Amino acid sequence: MKYNKIDGQHFLNMVTNASIRLENEKAYVDSLNVFPVPDGDTGTNMSMTFTAAVQEIQSSKSSSIGEVSKIMAKGALMGARGNSGVILSQIFRGIAKGLEGKDEVNPYEFALSMLEGSKSAYRAVMRPTEGTILTVIREVGEKATEYHTDDMTDLMSKIVEYADDTLQRTPDLLPQLKAANVVDSGGMGLLIILKGMYEALQSGFQMAEKLEEKSFEEYVAARDTHTEITFGYCTEFIVLAAPDNGEFKEYLETMGDSIVYVGYDDITKVHIHTDNPGLVLAEAGKRGELTKIKIENMREQHRNLQETPDVHEEMKAEEVKVSEPKEKEKYAFISVSMGDGIKDVFHDLGVNFVISGGQTMNPSTQDIVKAVEEANAEYIFILPNNKNIIMAANQAKEISAKEVYVIPTKTIPQGVAALTTFNPEADAEANYDALMASLETVKSGSVTYAVRDTEIDGKEVKQGDFLGLIENKIKLVKRELYPLVEELIESMVDEDSSSITLFYGEDVKEEEFNELVELLEEKYEDLDVMSVDGKQPLYYFIIAVE
């Protein structure tokens, strides 16, 4: 259908349809993660961000496109998760700026707002990388303003065409994408949004069908909270492959109970209660790419339900308050981490709020803002401990009226090192400088597994391989876990090293781990070798060398 102009309600319907499309295809976007590690979450982050934005305007009756887009931009800003979500929120913040004060717009005015979206996104990124979502929105904005038409549907058709063309060229701009044989995942998420907006116009605002996806709770019968739990971890995930001939289901039956194994088209959903979620995920990774991974400690939930039987809220990036000072303190710390053992470490180091999150579960800007607002202190320091949370932390800082300092910690070891440097007697600026300097004093390593075949920096990776990462870059690939850990540590230790700390995950066997520690103590007799039961999922080891 032809529309010479669109108003606020037209725009609301366009982005609502786009939100449905992105929700339906977020697992596909997740699967485009360049790294073969089990935490690709670009699609999930973008979908949760965009859903939060659209929810803000669902009840709006305004016909002003400037007003509707402004409210939506605020929703995106507060709901932004991960770097991709923050960049998406900035795109729509710029679009809202371009539509400001307008009740309705023609195609050229809308094209100008897309260009504003590009400028806003580029300003939000310290070191913009071409071949990403940034390139896609920039070229869309530039080409859209050069296209002349009086039909919004025609313009959106061209915008989708421009976005798709640019997306297909992203592997030529980023060698990592070419090596992994994928296009940029953030750019794909944006293309899906633009397609959804176009399809709304084309169809006369008929909304896309939301794919029905039964929750695992509907498959698994409710249980008495006083029943003894045989297997401790509720593990859910999706394999981006059709079900096999039954071999994997037979394997699952040897690993736990409460198994749900549902396949449709090229997707297989799995639910299992097991004591070894890492082994299950590694085996599943041999059959296809994994996404939507969720692991919950049922024994812990069981204890909490017995203590507070009226509480039934699912914990998602929920703030855990350690102390509630009656009088305003000088300093407060907010940290992000996964794994009960690692959270305990941060508690012991004086962190006031721990936000549950990290790999696979990035907290939103709103989650961080809420912790900032609840912190009763003159100066507040935020430790993201993950490169994909730093932008949301900085966005929370911009929103808050309080004195907030973001220490851009990318790893758990960096977060711990920063806290041990803190001096409660020093002023805020001196502490900021000291904490920033501490990031250079620790080397960070981690060990996980590959969820798909690929090639990274000349290294051939097969599904199920163990991966050794240093500063979030893959350095080693092996079929055996402990030889990889030994070699990874050896590459991290130098003549200036004084200590090695291993945070071991929930899937590490205690006997094998103790043997590793003994070996390291003998090999590095001049270094302090320390271990922490981090209880983190997905990552067998997080390693700090100082």
Side-chain angles (χ1 to χ4, degrees):
M1 296 184 65
K2 183 175 181 178
Y3 296 89
N4 298 118
K5 293 185 176 182
I6 58 170
D7 62 17
Q9 289 301 301
H10 292 139
F11 184 72
L12 186 155
N13 288 324
M14 290 166 67
V15 295
T16 298
N17 192 66
S19 177
I20 296 170
R21 281 293 307 271
L22 184 57
E23 174 67 19
N24 288 345
E25 299 187 46
K26 65 182 181 184
Y28 170 63
V29 178
D30 283 342
S31 73
L32 297 176
N33 184 33
V34 171
F35 264 31
V37 295
D39 49 24
D41 51 8
T42 299
T44 299
N45 283 336
M46 293 184 74
S47 180
M48 294 181 76
T49 300
F50 203 64
T51 297
V54 172
Q55 284 176 345
E56 284 292 313
I57 60 173
Q58 283 304 298
S59 60
S60 175
K61 303 298 182 184
S62 176
S63 62
S64 165
I65 193 169
E67 182 65 24
V68 172
S69 63
K70 180 180 178 181
I71 297 171
M72 180 183 170
K74 180 181 178 182
L77 185 73
M78 300 303 289
R81 294 175 186 268
N83 293 344
S84 57
V86 172
I87 292 172
L88 182 63
S89 74
Q90 290 299 323
I91 289 173
F92 277 86
R93 188 179 187 179
I95 289 174
K97 180 181 177 181
L99 300 175
E100 188 175 6
K102 296 180 170 61
D103 291 329
E104 58 181 14
V105 294
N106 60 34
Y108 180 67
E109 290 171 320
F110 189 78
L112 288 175
S113 78
M114 297 292 288
L115 191 58
E116 282 296 329
S118 167
K119 294 176 182 177
S120 177
Y122 270 85
R123 283 194 296 267
V125 180
M126 187 175 297
R127 297 182 182 84
T129 300
E130 296 302 330
T132 65
I133 184 175
L134 293 172
T135 306
V136 176
I137 186 61
R138 177 177 55 78
E139 295 204 4
V140 162
E142 291 172 351
K143 293 180 180 178
T145 56
E146 296 172 357
Y147 184 70
H148 301 290
T149 180
D150 63 351
D151 181 4
M152 271 298 305
T153 306
D154 180 39
L155 174 67
M156 284 305 303
S157 173
K158 283 295 182 183
I159 283 175
V160 169
E161 181 182 319
Y162 299 147
D164 195 12
D165 288 346
T166 305
L167 181 65
Q168 299 310 316
R169 287 190 286 105
T170 55
D172 296 327
L173 300 173
L174 268 183
Q176 303 97 304
L177 296 174
K178 185 178 286 289
N181 195 30
V182 294
V183 295
D184 178 66
S185 55
M188 176 58 77
L190 179 60
L191 174 61
I192 291 169
I193 289 172
L194 296 173
K195 279 184 177 179
M197 294 172 69
Y198 163 62
E199 288 167 358
L201 287 170
Q202 186 185 40
S203 66
F205 299 108
Q206 294 182 23
M207 294 297 101
E209 181 180 355
K210 193 167 185 176
L211 297 183
E212 289 296 328
E213 182 176 290
K214 289 185 179 180
S215 68
F216 283 108
E217 287 76 10
E218 294 179 57
Y219 287 111
V220 183
R223 292 174 174 80
D224 184 349
T225 59
H226 299 288
T227 301
E228 180 67 20
I229 297 174
T230 305
F231 296 95
Y233 298 96
C234 176
T235 305
E236 303 174 4
F237 54 94
I238 289 178
V239 184
L240 299 180
D244 61 19
N245 58 9
E247 290 181 359
F248 185 50
K249 188 174 183 182
E250 291 178 4
Y251 168 80
L252 292 174
E253 290 171 350
T254 69
M255 297 298 292
D257 61 15
S258 300
I259 297 167
V260 178
Y261 185 81
V262 182
Y264 46 92
D265 294 334
D266 293 327
I267 291 178
T268 304
K269 291 191 68 174
V270 178
H271 170 281
I272 183 174
H273 292 174
T274 179
D275 280 336
N276 296 287
L279 295 178
V280 171
L281 291 170
E283 185 67 22
K286 298 176 183 178
R287 288 158 170 79
E289 297 172 14
L290 305 184
T291 187
K292 295 185 71 173
I293 299 169
K294 184 172 74 171
I295 302 171
E296 293 179 342
N297 186 332
M298 295 188 299
R299 292 190 178 99
E300 180 182 39
Q301 291 178 339
H302 173 71
R303 289 191 295 269
N304 291 340
L305 284 171
Q306 287 182 318
E307 293 169 5
T308 54
D310 292 327
V311 177
H312 299 286
E313 295 182 359
E314 184 182 42
M315 290 183 65
K316 288 185 178 178
E318 182 178 350
E319 298 84 357
V320 180
K321 200 167 187 176
V322 179
S323 61
E324 187 174 356
K326 294 180 181 179
E327 296 183 2
K328 195 169 189 177
E329 295 185 346
K330 184 175 181 179
Y331 292 109
F333 279 88
I334 298 167
S335 178
V336 183
S337 72
M338 292 183 72
D340 291 341
I342 293 177
K343 291 177 187 177
D344 289 342
V345 170
F346 283 112
H347 292 169
D348 294 341
L349 288 171
V351 172
N352 302 79
F353 295 83
V354 176
I355 302 176
S356 295
Q359 303 301 116
T360 77
M361 187 176 69
N362 300 145
S364 68
T365 299
Q366 177 67 64
D367 293 326
I368 302 173
V369 168
K370 185 177 180 182
V372 169
E373 294 308 310
E374 291 187 15
N376 189 20
E378 187 177 355
Y379 304 106
I380 300 164
F381 284 79
I382 302 175
L383 306 174
N385 301 330
N386 186 296
K387 64 180 181 179
N388 208 33
I389 302 174
I390 294 172
M391 289 185 73
N394 281 320
Q395 200 153 261
K397 173 186 174 180
E398 292 177 13
I399 293 169
S400 177
K402 295 187 175 183
E403 287 287 334
V404 177
Y405 294 84
V406 176
I407 308 299
T409 51
K410 298 179 181 179
T411 65
I412 295 297
Q414 285 187 342
V416 172
L419 287 166
T420 57
T421 307
F422 171 67
N423 179 3
E425 303 302 321
D427 63 39
E429 289 297 330
N431 266 312
Y432 175 76
D433 291 341
L435 268 60
M436 289 294 290
S438 74
L439 305 187
E440 303 298 324
T441 66
V442 60
K443 298 176 184 177
S444 303
S446 58
V447 178
T448 186
Y449 58 91
V451 297
R452 61 180 172 85
D453 295 352
T454 189
E455 183 178 320
I456 297 287
D457 296 330
K459 299 178 183 65
E460 186 177 356
V461 178
K462 298 293 184 183
Q463 287 181 359
D465 281 349
F466 294 107
L467 306 175
L469 294 82
I470 298 178
E471 312 302 345
N472 296 313
K473 294 182 179 180
I474 296 175
K475 296 296 183 182
L476 295 174
V477 181
K478 287 184 179 293
R479 297 301 295 181
E480 296 181 346
L481 176 59
Y482 286 94
L484 178 140
V485 177
E486 292 174 39
E487 187 174 340
L488 187 70
I489 293 173
E490 184 176 355
S491 69
M492 296 172 68
V493 171
D494 59 29
E495 59 183 13
D496 296 323
S497 301
S498 61
S499 67
I500 302 169
T501 304
L502 291 92
F503 299 85
Y504 58 96
E506 60 188 11
D507 295 326
V508 173
K509 295 180 180 179
E510 186 174 356
E511 183 178 344
E512 294 176 342
F513 177 69
N514 290 337
E515 291 177 2
L516 172 66
V517 172
E518 289 180 11
L519 185 151
L520 294 175
E521 288 176 337
E522 292 177 6
K523 185 174 182 178
Y524 303 104
E525 57 184 5
D526 294 332
L527 276 62
D528 291 329
V529 179
M530 297 167 283
S531 61
V532 177
D533 185 2
K535 297 184 175 66
Q536 71 271 10
L538 305 180
Y539 282 73
Y540 298 100
F541 296 100
I542 295 172
I543 304 164
V545 174
E546 297 181 84

mmCIF file of all heavy atoms in Angstrom, residues 25 44 57 68-69 83 97 125 144 156 168 202 236 273 289 298 330 334 429 453 463 465 499 509 511 513 540 543:
data_model
loop_
_atom_site.group_PDB
_atom_site.id
_atom_site.type_symbol
_atom_site.label_atom_id
_atom_site.label_comp_id
_atom_site.label_asym_id
_atom_site.label_seq_id
_atom_site.Cartn_x
_atom_site.Cartn_y
_atom_site.Cartn_z
ATOM 1 N N GLU A 25 13.115 -14.491 15.124
ATOM 2 C CA GLU A 25 14.374 -14.858 14.459
ATOM 3 C C GLU A 25 15.627 -14.605 15.305
ATOM 4 O O GLU A 25 16.741 -14.672 14.807
ATOM 5 C CB GLU A 25 14.487 -14.104 13.135
ATOM 6 C CG GLU A 25 13.350 -14.437 12.161
ATOM 7 C CD GLU A 25 13.547 -13.816 10.797
ATOM 8 O OE1 GLU A 25 14.676 -13.903 10.271
ATOM 9 O OE2 GLU A 25 12.590 -13.222 10.262
ATOM 10 N N THR A 44 19.420 -12.235 21.000
ATOM 11 C CA THR A 44 18.671 -12.157 22.253
ATOM 12 C C THR A 44 18.748 -10.751 22.833
ATOM 13 O O THR A 44 17.728 -10.177 23.253
ATOM 14 C CB THR A 44 19.211 -13.177 23.268
ATOM 15 O OG1 THR A 44 19.065 -14.498 22.723
ATOM 16 C CG2 THR A 44 18.463 -13.086 24.584
ATOM 17 N N ILE A 57 5.570 2.058 24.125
ATOM 18 C CA ILE A 57 4.627 2.840 23.312
ATOM 19 C C ILE A 57 3.338 2.091 23.001
ATOM 20 O O ILE A 57 2.469 2.626 22.311
ATOM 21 C CB ILE A 57 5.292 3.281 21.980
ATOM 22 C CG1 ILE A 57 5.748 2.068 21.161
ATOM 23 C CG2 ILE A 57 6.464 4.213 22.247
ATOM 24 C CD1 ILE A 57 6.250 2.423 19.774
ATOM 25 N N VAL A 68 5.781 9.665 19.795
ATOM 26 C CA VAL A 68 5.869 8.211 19.909
ATOM 27 C C VAL A 68 7.318 7.737 19.835
ATOM 28 O O VAL A 68 7.761 6.898 20.629
ATOM 29 C CB VAL A 68 5.019 7.523 18.818
ATOM 30 C CG1 VAL A 68 5.261 6.013 18.807
ATOM 31 C CG2 VAL A 68 3.533 7.800 19.042
ATOM 32 N N SER A 69 8.087 8.280 18.894
ATOM 33 C CA SER A 69 9.484 7.851 18.747
ATOM 34 C C SER A 69 10.321 8.269 19.950
ATOM 35 O O SER A 69 11.257 7.563 20.345
ATOM 36 C CB SER A 69 10.089 8.423 17.461
ATOM 37 O OG SER A 69 10.124 9.838 17.502
ATOM 38 N N ASN A 83 26.340 -4.889 24.006
ATOM 39 C CA ASN A 83 26.782 -3.847 23.077
ATOM 40 C C ASN A 83 25.821 -3.670 21.913
ATOM 41 O O ASN A 83 25.527 -2.551 21.495
ATOM 42 C CB ASN A 83 28.176 -4.170 22.551
ATOM 43 C CG ASN A 83 29.237 -4.085 23.640
ATOM 44 O OD1 ASN A 83 29.012 -3.513 24.701
ATOM 45 N ND2 ASN A 83 30.399 -4.658 23.383
ATOM 46 N N LYS A 97 15.421 11.825 17.475
ATOM 47 C CA LYS A 97 15.891 13.205 17.345
ATOM 48 C C LYS A 97 15.518 13.776 15.974
ATOM 49 O O LYS A 97 15.098 14.922 15.849
ATOM 50 C CB LYS A 97 17.404 13.260 17.529
ATOM 51 C CG LYS A 97 17.983 14.668 17.412
ATOM 52 C CD LYS A 97 19.502 14.665 17.577
ATOM 53 C CE LYS A 97 20.066 16.072 17.395
ATOM 54 N NZ LYS A 97 21.547 16.092 17.517
ATOM 55 N N VAL A 125 30.016 4.873 20.112
ATOM 56 C CA VAL A 125 31.084 3.873 20.085
ATOM 57 C C VAL A 125 32.432 4.583 20.024
ATOM 58 O O VAL A 125 32.684 5.397 19.128
ATOM 59 C CB VAL A 125 30.931 2.932 18.871
ATOM 60 C CG1 VAL A 125 32.047 1.906 18.853
ATOM 61 C CG2 VAL A 125 29.572 2.234 18.927
ATOM 62 N N ALA A 144 19.371 6.359 1.674
ATOM 63 C CA ALA A 144 17.939 6.680 1.775
ATOM 64 C C ALA A 144 17.697 8.161 1.520
ATOM 65 O O ALA A 144 16.694 8.541 0.885
ATOM 66 C CB ALA A 144 17.410 6.288 3.146
ATOM 67 N N MET A 156 10.829 2.346 2.235
ATOM 68 C CA MET A 156 11.216 1.256 3.132
ATOM 69 C C MET A 156 11.677 0.037 2.342
ATOM 70 O O MET A 156 12.568 -0.696 2.791
ATOM 71 C CB MET A 156 10.056 0.881 4.047
ATOM 72 C CG MET A 156 9.801 1.859 5.184
ATOM 73 S SD MET A 156 11.247 2.195 6.240
ATOM 74 C CE MET A 156 11.694 0.555 6.798
ATOM 75 N N GLN A 168 25.587 -8.065 3.243
ATOM 76 C CA GLN A 168 26.277 -9.119 2.496
ATOM 77 C C GLN A 168 27.747 -8.778 2.247
ATOM 78 O O GLN A 168 28.561 -9.664 1.982
ATOM 79 C CB GLN A 168 25.562 -9.372 1.154
ATOM 80 C CG GLN A 168 24.126 -9.841 1.292
ATOM 81 C CD GLN A 168 23.967 -11.000 2.249
ATOM 82 O OE1 GLN A 168 24.755 -11.959 2.220
ATOM 83 N NE2 GLN A 168 22.961 -10.928 3.116
ATOM 84 N N GLN A 202 3.673 -2.529 3.801
ATOM 85 C CA GLN A 202 3.281 -3.263 2.594
ATOM 86 C C GLN A 202 1.946 -3.980 2.769
ATOM 87 O O GLN A 202 1.138 -4.039 1.846
ATOM 88 C CB GLN A 202 4.373 -4.275 2.249
ATOM 89 C CG GLN A 202 4.172 -5.007 0.936
ATOM 90 C CD GLN A 202 5.224 -6.079 0.738
ATOM 91 O OE1 GLN A 202 5.585 -6.778 1.693
ATOM 92 N NE2 GLN A 202 5.745 -6.201 -0.485
ATOM 93 N N GLU A 236 18.520 -25.938 29.932
ATOM 94 C CA GLU A 236 17.698 -25.766 28.735
ATOM 95 C C GLU A 236 18.528 -25.144 27.627
ATOM 96 O O GLU A 236 19.385 -24.300 27.887
ATOM 97 C CB GLU A 236 16.500 -24.853 29.032
ATOM 98 C CG GLU A 236 15.612 -25.319 30.153
ATOM 99 C CD GLU A 236 14.530 -24.304 30.482
ATOM 100 O OE1 GLU A 236 14.445 -23.283 29.762
ATOM 101 O OE2 GLU A 236 13.772 -24.516 31.443
ATOM 102 N N HIS A 273 17.193 -32.237 33.618
ATOM 103 C CA HIS A 273 17.762 -32.023 34.954
ATOM 104 C C HIS A 273 18.974 -32.932 35.066
ATOM 105 O O HIS A 273 18.856 -34.159 34.917
ATOM 106 C CB HIS A 273 16.735 -32.364 36.036
ATOM 107 C CG HIS A 273 15.576 -31.416 36.082
ATOM 108 N ND1 HIS A 273 14.483 -31.595 36.899
ATOM 109 C CD2 HIS A 273 15.346 -30.261 35.388
ATOM 110 C CE1 HIS A 273 13.638 -30.607 36.725
ATOM 111 N NE2 HIS A 273 14.127 -29.790 35.805
ATOM 112 N N GLU A 289 24.782 -25.968 16.223
ATOM 113 C CA GLU A 289 25.053 -24.768 16.996
ATOM 114 C C GLU A 289 24.044 -24.648 18.129
ATOM 115 O O GLU A 289 22.871 -24.993 17.975
ATOM 116 C CB GLU A 289 24.993 -23.537 16.100
ATOM 117 C CG GLU A 289 26.056 -23.558 15.006
ATOM 118 C CD GLU A 289 25.882 -22.451 14.010
ATOM 119 O OE1 GLU A 289 25.119 -21.506 14.282
ATOM 120 O OE2 GLU A 289 26.498 -22.538 12.924
ATOM 121 N N MET A 298 18.719 -25.843 40.854
ATOM 122 C CA MET A 298 17.419 -26.153 41.449
ATOM 123 C C MET A 298 17.510 -26.376 42.950
ATOM 124 O O MET A 298 16.562 -26.112 43.683
ATOM 125 C CB MET A 298 16.812 -27.384 40.771
ATOM 126 C CG MET A 298 16.479 -27.174 39.305
ATOM 127 S SD MET A 298 15.563 -28.548 38.616
ATOM 128 C CE MET A 298 16.736 -29.891 38.831
ATOM 129 N N LYS A 330 30.651 6.804 51.884
ATOM 130 C CA LYS A 330 31.428 7.538 50.891
ATOM 131 C C LYS A 330 31.462 6.785 49.568
ATOM 132 O O LYS A 330 31.322 7.379 48.501
ATOM 133 C CB LYS A 330 32.857 7.759 51.403
ATOM 134 C CG LYS A 330 33.713 8.608 50.452
ATOM 135 C CD LYS A 330 35.078 8.916 51.047
ATOM 136 C CE LYS A 330 35.894 9.791 50.100
ATOM 137 N NZ LYS A 330 37.231 10.128 50.648
ATOM 138 N N ILE A 334 29.280 -1.623 42.547
ATOM 139 C CA ILE A 334 28.334 -2.475 41.823
ATOM 140 C C ILE A 334 29.146 -3.350 40.889
ATOM 141 O O ILE A 334 30.005 -2.857 40.152
ATOM 142 C CB ILE A 334 27.328 -1.631 41.012
ATOM 143 C CG1 ILE A 334 26.483 -0.756 41.947
ATOM 144 C CG2 ILE A 334 26.414 -2.535 40.173
ATOM 145 C CD1 ILE A 334 25.694 0.309 41.213
ATOM 146 N N GLU A 429 38.823 10.474 42.737
ATOM 147 C CA GLU A 429 39.643 10.561 41.528
ATOM 148 C C GLU A 429 40.903 9.713 41.653
ATOM 149 O O GLU A 429 41.317 9.037 40.704
ATOM 150 C CB GLU A 429 40.013 12.021 41.243
ATOM 151 C CG GLU A 429 38.847 12.865 40.758
ATOM 152 C CD GLU A 429 38.284 12.399 39.424
ATOM 153 O OE1 GLU A 429 39.066 11.845 38.613
ATOM 154 O OE2 GLU A 429 37.075 12.566 39.194
ATOM 155 N N ASP A 453 31.989 -25.849 14.172
ATOM 156 C CA ASP A 453 33.229 -25.830 13.398
ATOM 157 C C ASP A 453 33.470 -24.417 12.862
ATOM 158 O O ASP A 453 32.531 -23.731 12.442
ATOM 159 C CB ASP A 453 33.141 -26.783 12.209
ATOM 160 C CG ASP A 453 33.030 -28.238 12.634
ATOM 161 O OD1 ASP A 453 33.170 -28.510 13.839
ATOM 162 O OD2 ASP A 453 32.790 -29.092 11.758
ATOM 163 N N GLN A 463 33.579 -28.713 16.556
ATOM 164 C CA GLN A 463 32.607 -28.778 17.640
ATOM 165 C C GLN A 463 33.106 -29.717 18.733
ATOM 166 O O GLN A 463 33.596 -30.802 18.460
ATOM 167 C CB GLN A 463 31.256 -29.287 17.134
ATOM 168 C CG GLN A 463 30.486 -28.286 16.303
ATOM 169 C CD GLN A 463 29.141 -28.840 15.845
ATOM 170 O OE1 GLN A 463 28.806 -29.964 16.142
ATOM 171 N NE2 GLN A 463 28.389 -28.038 15.123
ATOM 172 N N ASP A 465 35.616 -29.165 20.710
ATOM 173 C CA ASP A 465 36.999 -28.865 21.100
ATOM 174 C C ASP A 465 37.002 -27.992 22.349
ATOM 175 O O ASP A 465 36.102 -27.173 22.562
ATOM 176 C CB ASP A 465 37.731 -28.106 19.984
ATOM 177 C CG ASP A 465 38.207 -29.008 18.864
ATOM 178 O OD1 ASP A 465 38.169 -30.231 19.039
ATOM 179 O OD2 ASP A 465 38.610 -28.480 17.808
ATOM 180 N N SER A 499 51.631 -14.835 41.112
ATOM 181 C CA SER A 499 50.535 -15.688 41.568
ATOM 182 C C SER A 499 49.679 -16.170 40.412
ATOM 183 O O SER A 499 49.608 -15.534 39.352
ATOM 184 C CB SER A 499 49.646 -14.929 42.562
ATOM 185 O OG SER A 499 48.965 -13.865 41.920
ATOM 186 N N LYS A 509 35.507 -31.678 37.771
ATOM 187 C CA LYS A 509 35.542 -32.752 38.771
ATOM 188 C C LYS A 509 36.642 -32.464 39.787
ATOM 189 O O LYS A 509 37.782 -32.187 39.433
ATOM 190 C CB LYS A 509 35.775 -34.093 38.086
ATOM 191 C CG LYS A 509 34.624 -34.505 37.171
ATOM 192 C CD LYS A 509 34.888 -35.845 36.509
ATOM 193 C CE LYS A 509 33.719 -36.242 35.601
ATOM 194 N NZ LYS A 509 33.970 -37.539 34.919
ATOM 195 N N GLU A 511 38.419 -34.256 41.893
ATOM 196 C CA GLU A 511 39.630 -35.081 41.926
ATOM 197 C C GLU A 511 40.604 -34.664 40.838
ATOM 198 O O GLU A 511 41.809 -34.508 41.087
ATOM 199 C CB GLU A 511 39.262 -36.561 41.763
ATOM 200 C CG GLU A 511 40.460 -37.502 41.854
ATOM 201 C CD GLU A 511 40.045 -38.967 41.734
ATOM 202 O OE1 GLU A 511 38.845 -39.269 41.892
ATOM 203 O OE2 GLU A 511 40.928 -39.788 41.466
ATOM 204 N N PHE A 513 40.717 -31.792 39.354
ATOM 205 C CA PHE A 513 41.172 -30.430 39.621
ATOM 206 C C PHE A 513 42.300 -30.425 40.656
ATOM 207 O O PHE A 513 43.284 -29.692 40.524
ATOM 208 C CB PHE A 513 40.011 -29.565 40.107
ATOM 209 C CG PHE A 513 40.422 -28.169 40.479
ATOM 210 C CD1 PHE A 513 40.834 -27.261 39.515
ATOM 211 C CD2 PHE A 513 40.430 -27.759 41.803
ATOM 212 C CE1 PHE A 513 41.232 -25.985 39.852
ATOM 213 C CE2 PHE A 513 40.827 -26.478 42.152
ATOM 214 C CZ PHE A 513 41.225 -25.587 41.176
ATOM 215 N N TYR A 540 34.898 -23.745 32.098
ATOM 216 C CA TYR A 540 35.505 -24.677 33.043
ATOM 217 C C TYR A 540 36.441 -23.946 33.997
ATOM 218 O O TYR A 540 36.469 -24.233 35.197
ATOM 219 C CB TYR A 540 36.276 -25.766 32.294
ATOM 220 C CG TYR A 540 35.423 -26.613 31.399
ATOM 221 C CD1 TYR A 540 35.375 -26.374 30.024
ATOM 222 C CD2 TYR A 540 34.645 -27.637 31.921
ATOM 223 C CE1 TYR A 540 34.582 -27.142 29.192
ATOM 224 C CE2 TYR A 540 33.845 -28.416 31.091
ATOM 225 C CZ TYR A 540 33.815 -28.168 29.726
ATOM 226 O OH TYR A 540 33.019 -28.917 28.919
ATOM 227 N N ILE A 543 41.039 -17.870 34.724
ATOM 228 C CA ILE A 543 42.403 -17.881 35.270
ATOM 229 C C ILE A 543 42.938 -16.460 35.366
ATOM 230 O O ILE A 543 42.818 -15.665 34.427
ATOM 231 C CB ILE A 543 43.331 -18.720 34.367
ATOM 232 C CG1 ILE A 543 42.766 -20.139 34.204
ATOM 233 C CG2 ILE A 543 44.746 -18.763 34.945
ATOM 234 C CD1 ILE A 543 43.386 -20.907 33.060
#
